Amino acid sequence: MIKPLLFLLTLGLLAMSAAKPTRVVFFGDSITQAGVNPGGYIDRLRKMIPADQFELIGAGIGGNKIYDLFLRMDEDVLAKQPDVVVVWVGVNDVWHKASYGTGTDPDKFMKFYEAVVKKLKAANARVILCTPATIGEKTDFSNQQDGDLNQYSQLIRDLAKRQNLPLVDLRKAFLDYNLKNNPENKEKGVLTTDRVHLNEAGNQLVAEQMKAVLMNAGK
């Protein structure tokens, strides 16, 4: 009688384990910090994917750059024991170079980014990378930081390819959307409120892009 009982208990534990939702931590800056607010992209995602399959947690702090993420990773991400971590960073690393002279040079950006990914993977978290979306929505590449954003986005794409990691290419998605929906070449107001932070359409677009990758990551 003992062996059948142990077998049934094991089956029960496996069933409980299988039913546990995939815990996803969104790791980033003010865009992610706002994503948990009503109408934010994380809030929208919660309504778009099965609640019994995913637990979505925001871990965004305004003004963060890649090295900020590295420094607070233990407390803000790893302590939550995530199954999946979505890393969305880069806007401040680029933006602050011109605005405050405190951005992150490409080589340092990649060193810290690779260190973040390495540590997350060592904790057995599946890692999803995102390219930085936009600093200005003009479609003729006349936004001041377009060159840097394109460079940093390509670095992230290359990293995702090298390490066989899922990628949410928000840079491409935003450019494609604006080419179709911004005929007046506005610098803001199409997907953003201020050239960077998301409006309703921007949050919806990001949620849709995230959903497509997350549904695969949760399998």
Side-chain angles (χ1 to χ4, degrees), residues 90-212:
V91 161
N92 292 318
D93 298 272
V94 170
W95 195 8
H96 291 184
K97 287 170 69 176
S99 302
Y100 307 107
T102 58
T104 313
D105 291 333
D107 58 338
K108 293 180 181 177
F109 180 80
M110 285 314 299
K111 284 180 181 178
F112 274 107
Y113 209 122
E114 289 173 347
V116 166
V117 171
K118 182 179 180 180
K119 195 165 185 177
L120 291 172
K121 290 173 73 174
N124 295 317
R126 283 165 282 171
V127 185
I128 297 173
L129 307 186
C130 304
T131 53
T134 189
I135 306 174
E137 298 191 65
K138 292 181 180 180
T139 57
D140 59 357
F141 292 104
S142 62
N143 305 292
Q144 182 183 1
Q145 283 92 7
D146 276 340
D148 279 347
L149 272 185
N150 291 336
Q151 179 186 9
Y152 285 54
S153 293
Q154 190 58 49
L155 290 171
I156 293 169
R157 293 181 190 116
D158 292 343
L159 176 61
K161 187 174 182 180
R162 284 198 308 273
Q163 300 204 16
N164 194 29
L165 298 173
L167 175 72
V168 183
D169 198 342
L170 295 172
R171 179 68 177 156
K172 183 179 185 301
F174 271 56
L175 288 172
D176 289 348
Y177 187 97
N178 269 291
L179 284 169
K180 293 177 182 177
N181 298 281
N182 187 11
E184 298 176 7
N185 203 34
K186 297 177 182 178
E187 68 170 9
K188 62 182 179 180
V190 182
L191 292 167
T192 73
T193 59
D194 59 359
R195 302 169 60 244
V196 172
H197 298 95
L198 308 179
N199 62 14
E200 184 175 347
N203 277 298
Q204 183 63 29
L205 178 61
V206 170
E208 290 168 357
Q209 296 291 314
M210 295 280 191
K211 177 187 175 184

Side-chain angles (χ1 to χ4, degrees), residues 22-26 41-42 45-46 49 53-56 84-86 126 128 166-168 206-219:
T22 300
R23 178 172 292 173
V24 184
V25 173
F26 295 85
Y41 77 89
I42 298 171
L45 264 173
R46 290 193 178 112
I49 59 180
Q53 294 182 28
F54 292 92
E55 177 189 5
L56 308 184
V84 178
V85 178
V86 181
R126 283 165 282 171
I128 297 173
L167 175 72
V168 183
V206 170
E208 290 168 357
Q209 296 291 314
M210 295 280 191
K211 177 187 175 184
V213 177
L214 271 181
M215 294 303 291
N216 289 325
K219 293 177 181 178

